[in-house]
Each structure stands twice: as structure tokens, then as C-alpha cells.
Amino acid sequence: MLAAAGKALLLGLATGLFCLGTCAPVLAPLMLGEERKGLWPLLLPFLQFSLGRLLAYAVVGAVAGWAGAGAAPVLTPRRVGASFLALAALMLLYGLKGGFPGWRLCRLAAPLLARLRAPFWFGLLLGFNACPPFLAAMADVFLHGHVAYGLAFFLVFFLVTTLFLLPLVLLGRLSRYLSLRAVGQWAAVIVGVFYLLAGLRLLIP
Amino acid sequence: MPRTLICGHSRSASIFLTTVLFFMMAFLLVGGNRNNAGMMQASLVYLVFMTVLAYLLFRSGRVHRYRSIFFSVYAIAFVLNFIPILLETRGHIALTGRDIANLDTPLCHLTIPMLILPGLVYGVLIFPTKLFANMGFYPMLFLWLGATVVLGKGWCSWGCFYGGLDEFFSKLLPKRIVSSRKFNYSLRWFPFALLLVIVVWSFLALDPVYCGWLCPFKAVTEFVQPTNWLIWVQTGIFVVLFLGLVVVLPLLMKRRTQCGLFCPFGAFQSFVGLANPYRVRIDKEKCNQCGACVDQCPTFAITRETLAKNKVSITCARCGRCMEICPRDAIQFSLLGVPLRGHDARKPGFLSEVFRPDSLFTFGALLFGAVISGGMAAQVLLRFVHLARTGSFLFR
Ligand code: SF4
Ligand code: SF4
């Protein structure tokens, strides 16, 4: 379980910084749009948004684990290794190219969601995103083939991404110093290299 | 290159600052060696060297030039001293399993970000070093804390015994071979990503993974004795990273590529360094956006984007290069919260010169640098004398 938590943490780091960096311009006005005084009015939309994301992640984790359980008999170490290599390629491309324009779902959906001004739905839809670190997380759970593993994995994934979201949304200070998108991109490259090594270790006896 | 307007100190202010610095350095460098005649003489030589450098620095205002000489000498002295000490005390450089079990590994500051979480959560030190030994945990922790107070992120240009190696190689060739005009400045965020990954990874694995896999300086300090193919791979990585980031790229680009584009401790120090009150600031009244500083900053801390906002980025290592080459004297050391007043020669005055932010910062940085480098530099001088007399660089 510790290894699962570690992988979820690293993927969360990569996806958290990058995707939230992309979505921040929409997310921040959504959270801070109206004049809100006091902590609770500021926190409430954030909590609604987080609940949406948590629900989405739980569904993804459970479904990926369940589907993986069905596929377990055909998942040989070589196939797992090969899929790690594919994931590594995806992560490296994603990090080095700065994302895939067609896949920036949250950016596409953002104008509509921003108009809806419903943080829960925004969180739910953002939760079903398709960026490579998220796909890597899904693939990892699928390859393990346990619903409980999937739920735990995505819970950690959720917590890590929330950690990044919290200062970004509530304080917005970190982005004054860092390009969160660029840091996320490079984190994706590093995690990609780790996947590459893990894949090679499984493939080379 | 455009004509520059470097702002030095008047003769009287330079003599005053250098004299005060001299007595403080003498007290700290020579005073500690009263019982060892050889070390005392070698420390005196180093004291003279530092005093001359300090005077030239204050008088000419060329912070970068004279700092660079000090910093390179310091790093080379470190390497020339560290390896012989290992040979004298352990008999070998490569770490064996027994050395690790005996906690005989000197700790370096690069490990600090990886030690924090395991220390706080589990109360364990995940690096095989002794707590109180020379270069053990507590001495290194106090050195780092002191450096953060005095230098902040300036540690990377005045205090880090590895950074001087980058600096040295970046100064060797007179001209750039690889232009950085098309350089991808998003690379300067790589150290932050690496920092995040190694902090999390070390916490989960309870192992300082950066030291095991990625530290370029293992190539010139110590490394685990290769006994299987995995350790050979790790050693190969150290050597490739060292040659690439510390030697070849600095030579070709005349920039500090390891420090600016790789070192996760530098990223960490960018944050903790905010606790230090000195900053490098661009005066928007004077700057004409010529971009000379973007091209010259050794650590890639000024980009076209930051310049447009008249800012240097959080990664600025307080090296002084931009101040030396700015044709309009638009970049200055400043103190947090104190408005930029300009420190040109048109406003003389002994006291205002002595208490200029750049005087205060460089004074503290030189003193700190002299104190932490003094012992190593003196030892290396003695080693050279020993070499001339006996033919051996080792004392025993
Ligand atoms: S601070 Fe302005 S004037 Fe000075 S070198 Fe940079 S761009 Fe040119
Ligand atoms: S911004 Fe100036 S002082 Fe800071 S690292 Fe770059 S050249 Fe040196």
C-alpha cells in the first residue's frame, strides 16, 4: 500500500501542478469571483468543488480496479512492463511538449462551467479529466486489479492535488513565485523516467 | 557589450569596510588556530588573500568578478581537501558497506530537504552520518541555518562549496561557444520539480534517493563502492551528470547550468532564502529593457518576462553579474521594504556608502564565506607545502 501511496503522490504532483496550472485562470474567479468576506464563504465553494472531484476520483478508482480484476489473468509481467513503457512515453511527451492541446478538457469545458457557477459540478467534471498523469493513475489501478486499491490510490491522488489547489485558490501566492505549469510539466517528465525504468526492469529479466 | 556604470566605493569607505572585515576575519580565522603554528601561518596567507579581494571588490564595485575568484578557489580547495581527508581517515574514497553501517558518511547540505519529512514524521535521520561529527548532521544543520540568515539564496553564490565548481568552469573560456539566445527558459523550473519528487520519494522510501541516484558531485567527493551492476549504473549517472552539467555545459554556455537548471537544493533555498532581507531589484526608472542582463545571468534568473515586470525571479543567487554588466546601473542589491534610492557616485558621503545595501550584503557574505572556507583553504596550502617537501599530498 505504501508503494501505491507513493505512486499516487508522484502522479498527483505531476497532474496537480500541471492541470491546475491550466485551469487556475478559470478556477480562481470561480472561487473568488464575488466579494466574499470571512473564511467560511471562501471555503464553501472550495469544499463543494472538492467533493465533486472526490466523487469523480472514487468512481474512476473503483471502476478501474474492478475492470482490472476481470483482466488479471492476462496481465503477465511482460505486458505490465510494456504498458509501463507506453505510459512513460505518454508522460514524457506530455511533459516535454507541454501537454496535448486536444486533451485540455478542462480548458474546453471551462467557459461553460464558469458560467454555471456550480463548484460541485465543476469539480466532478474536472475529476474525469484525461491528462496523462491521470491516465497513468488509472492504468496503475487497472493493472493491480483491486477495487479497494483503486479507491485508496485515488484518495491519495485527490489529497495531493487538493494540497496544490488549496494554496492556489485560497492564497494564490505560490504562483507569484513559480510557474506551476512548468514545474508540473517537469515533474511529469521525471515521473515518466521512473516509469521507463520500472518498465525496463519488468521487461529485462 | 554596452558600456557599464559600475558603482564602487570611495577610497575611504573601501578602506574602512576592508579594515573592519580584516579584523573580524583575523579573529575568526587565525584566532582559532593559535595552537597550531602551520595552520596559523596558512590562515594568515588566506587572510591576506581575502583582504585584498575584499578591498578590490569594495573599491571597484565589481562584486561578481572578485566573488567569482573567491568562490572558485573555495570550491577547488574543498575538493582538494575532501578527498585526501577520506584517504587519510578511511584509507579509501569509495564508501563500503562497513562505512555506511558505521555512519561514517559526511553529510552535505544537499540532503537537507530530504531529511525534513522523515525527521518530523518518524523522528529518524535517513542519512548514514553521525550527529555531532565534523560534517555530521548538527554542524551541517547549523551551517545551513546560519547561511540562510546571512545569505538567503545567496548561499548558491557565496557559500556552496559545489557551486564554485560550476562557476570555475563557466569562467574558463573567454567567449561563449553555445549561444543561449534560443534557450528554453522553462528549464529553470526543473529543479523545483526535482525537489518535489525527491522529497516525496525519500519520505516514502526512507532513503535519500538524490544521493543514491542523481548527485553530480558524487563524482568528485565520495560514492558507494561499485560491487554490482546497479551501483555501476548509479556511478555512471554521477559521472555523466558531473561532466555534462558542471564541466561541459558551463564551459560552452558560460552559465552555471548545474546550479540554475538542476540542483534541487537551490530550488529549496529559493524558498527558505526569502527569510533573508536582501533582494536584487531592477529600477524601472533606469532600465531601458536592453536585455543584457537576461543574456548574462549565470543562473537564468532573469528572463524577458520577468524583465518586463522589472523583476528578477526567486532563483536569483545574488551573484552580482547583472549589476556589473547593466549599462544603466539599473540593478541593485536592496533591502526588503526599503525603496530603491540609487547608489550612484553623485551621492557621496562616508556613512551612506558604508550602509548601502550592497555594502552590507557583500560584507556579511565575504565574512561568512571566509569563515567557512578558511580551514579548507589553509589545509590545502599546507598540503601543497607538504607535497613540495615530501612528494605526497597526504599528511599520513
Ligand atoms: S536592467 Fe534593464 S538596462 Fe540593465 S541590463 Fe537589464 S534590461 Fe538592460
Ligand atoms: S539576477 Fe543578477 S544577481 Fe541574481 S543570479 Fe542573475 S546575474 Fe546574479
Side-chain angles (χ1 to χ4, degrees):
Chain A
M1 250 336 146
L2 197 63
K7 274 189 259 176
L9 263 166
L10 287 177
L11 290 171
L13 286 175
T15 198
L17 287 171
F18 191 88
C19 293
L20 298 173
T22 308
C23 297
V26 185
L27 208 55
L30 187 71
M31 299 294 154
L32 305 165
E34 297 125 38
E35 273 288 303
R36 293 190 178 113
K37 291 217 172 78
L39 191 62
W40 182 242
L42 207 63
L43 265 179
L44 188 66
F46 179 71
L47 290 177
Q48 290 170 329
F49 168 79
S50 301
L51 199 67
R53 255 174 12 107
L54 180 62
L55 194 65
Y57 284 6
V59 170
V60 170
V63 169
W66 172 74
V74 292
L75 290 176
T76 61
R78 289 185 76 82
R79 285 184 186 160
V80 175
S83 53
F84 275 1
L85 288 191
L87 283 173
L90 210 58
M91 297 280 285
L92 288 171
L93 258 176
Y94 169 79
L96 294 172
K97 270 183 65 80
F100 300 107
W103 287 12
R104 288 183 188 154
L105 292 189
C106 66
R107 186 172 277 183
L108 291 179
L112 181 71
L113 288 164
R115 222 171 294 143
L116 272 178
R117 296 212 160 272
F120 174 79
W121 294 107
F122 188 83
L124 192 73
L125 287 172
L126 186 65
F128 290 111
N129 68 36
C131 62
F134 189 84
L135 290 181
M138 269 172 69
D140 193 285
V141 170
F142 178 80
L143 294 171
H144 267 83
H146 292 292
V147 173
Y149 179 93
L151 285 171
F153 194 102
F154 271 91
L155 180 66
V156 176
F157 193 80
F158 165 79
L159 289 174
V160 177
T161 47
T162 304
L163 266 185
F164 288 109
L165 199 63
L166 199 64
L168 196 72
V169 172
L170 291 182
L171 305 172
R173 286 190 74 84
L174 204 57
S175 51
R176 264 179 43 182
Y177 298 116
L178 294 177
S179 165
L180 294 172
R181 254 179 79 93
V183 175
Q185 236 174 287
W186 289 117
V189 172
I190 299 168
V191 174
V193 172
F194 280 128
Y195 266 99
L196 186 71
L197 295 176
L200 287 176
R201 261 183 96 167
L202 281 173
L203 284 178
I204 302 170
Chain B
M1 190 172 294
R3 201 175 63 85
T4 55
L5 281 173
I6 300 166
C7 187
H9 293 74
S10 64
R11 182 167 288 127
S12 55
S14 304
I15 291 176
F16 176 77
L17 285 165
T18 311
T19 310
V20 177
L21 187 64
F22 171 83
F23 282 113
M24 292 175 86
M25 288 193 298
F27 177 71
L28 294 163
L29 285 181
V30 186
N33 289 310
R34 263 170 312 199
N35 301 328
N36 183 334
M39 274 299 279
M40 192 157 158
Q41 285 160 358
S43 300
L44 270 172
V45 174
Y46 190 62
L47 175 65
V48 172
F49 166 75
M50 286 303 292
T51 308
V52 172
L53 270 192
Y55 178 78
L56 293 172
L57 186 154
F58 288 129
R59 183 75 180 114
S60 67
R62 288 187 174 274
V63 172
H64 179 76
R65 172 182 288 180
Y66 296 107
R67 179 204 56 81
S68 181
I69 296 172
F70 150 72
F71 201 42
S72 302
V73 166
Y74 168 33
I76 293 168
F78 169 76
V79 175
L80 289 183
N81 207 30
F82 188 83
I83 294 175
I85 287 180
L86 289 184
L87 289 172
E88 285 158 3
T89 52
R90 287 204 310 234
H92 51 262
I93 305 171
L95 273 169
T96 61
R98 232 178 79 197
D99 300 323
I100 296 173
N102 288 344
L103 305 179
D104 263 345
T105 325
L107 183 88
C108 92
H109 53 283
L110 301 192
T111 55
I112 288 173
M114 293 177 283
L115 303 183
I116 294 174
L117 277 181
L120 287 177
V121 176
Y122 299 120
V124 292
L125 178 62
I126 60 165
F127 192 87
T129 193
K130 296 200 171 90
L131 287 181
F132 295 98
N134 192 12
M135 288 195 86
F137 175 70
Y138 282 114
M140 197 43 81
L141 184 71
F142 286 121
L143 172 69
W144 167 68
L145 284 173
T148 302
V149 172
V150 179
L151 302 169
K153 170 71 177 168
W155 164 264
C156 301
S157 283
W158 298 81
C160 173
F161 35 79
Y162 298 132
L165 293 176
D166 269 44
E167 176 101 35
F168 174 72
F169 287 107
S170 74
K171 294 286 169 210
L172 278 187
L173 293 185
K175 278 209 175 117
R176 257 185 207 158
I177 293 173
V178 174
S179 146
S180 38
R181 213 158 285 153
K182 286 193 184 148
F183 184 75
N184 172 8
Y185 275 88
S186 103
L187 269 167
R188 77 205 153 104
W189 301 119
F190 183 86
F192 292 85
L194 188 57
L195 175 69
L196 278 172
V197 172
I198 61 163
V199 165
V200 173
W201 203 279
S202 303
F203 176 56
L204 291 165
L206 291 182
D207 181 37
V209 284
Y210 182 76
C211 312
W213 285 96
L214 293 169
C215 177
F217 297 103
K218 290 271 183 252
V220 285
T221 52
E222 61 177 352
F223 45 85
V224 176
Q225 192 172 33
T227 47
N228 59 42
W229 70 268
L230 197 67
I231 304 179
W232 275 112
V233 169
Q234 292 172 317
T235 313
I237 293 174
F238 302 146
V239 173
V240 169
L241 286 176
F242 181 79
L243 290 179
L245 291 167
V246 185
V247 180
V248 177
L249 283 174
L251 271 175
L252 299 179
M253 294 177 75
K254 290 189 71 61
R255 289 183 153 192
R256 292 172 55 191
T257 43
Q258 194 286 141
C259 304
L261 306 178
F262 191 77
C263 179
F265 184 82
F268 177 68
Q269 200 64 13
S270 296
F271 282 118
V272 293
L274 291 172
N276 176 277
Y278 293 101
R279 298 285 184 273
V280 169
R281 281 156 72 189
I282 300 176
D283 187 340
K284 64 170 183 260
E285 306 295 328
K286 291 184 182 174
C287 172
N288 65 359
Q289 301 280 316
C290 72
C293 49
V294 177
D295 196 45
Q296 291 289 321
C297 172
T299 59
F300 309 88
I302 312 182
T303 67
R304 279 282 171 195
E305 290 74 44
T306 65
L307 186 63
K309 296 179 201 152
N310 295 296
K311 285 203 157 62
V312 304
S313 86
I314 186 178
T315 53
C316 163
R318 323 287 193 258
C319 76
R321 176 71 180 151
C322 51
M323 298 159 213
E324 254 181 51
I325 55 96
C326 175
R328 297 176 62 89
D329 189 26
I331 316 186
Q332 300 168 19
F333 277 117
S334 73
L335 266 166
L336 199 63
V338 178
L340 285 175
R341 274 176 302 164
H343 53 62
D344 47 56
R346 275 170 277 124
K347 288 183 199 154
F350 181 78
L351 279 184
S352 65
E353 274 192 73
V354 168
F355 289 104
R356 253 162 49 176
D358 61 322
S359 316
L360 297 176
F361 177 77
T362 45
F363 185 93
L366 281 167
L367 182 62
F368 188 89
V371 171
I372 53 171
S373 62
M376 292 175 214
Q379 284 239 353
V380 170
L381 277 175
L382 290 182
R383 285 185 191 283
F384 277 113
V385 174
H386 194 69
L387 180 69
R389 277 195 193 141
T390 65
S392 166
F393 206 58
L394 303 185
F395 289 137
R396 54 171 185 269

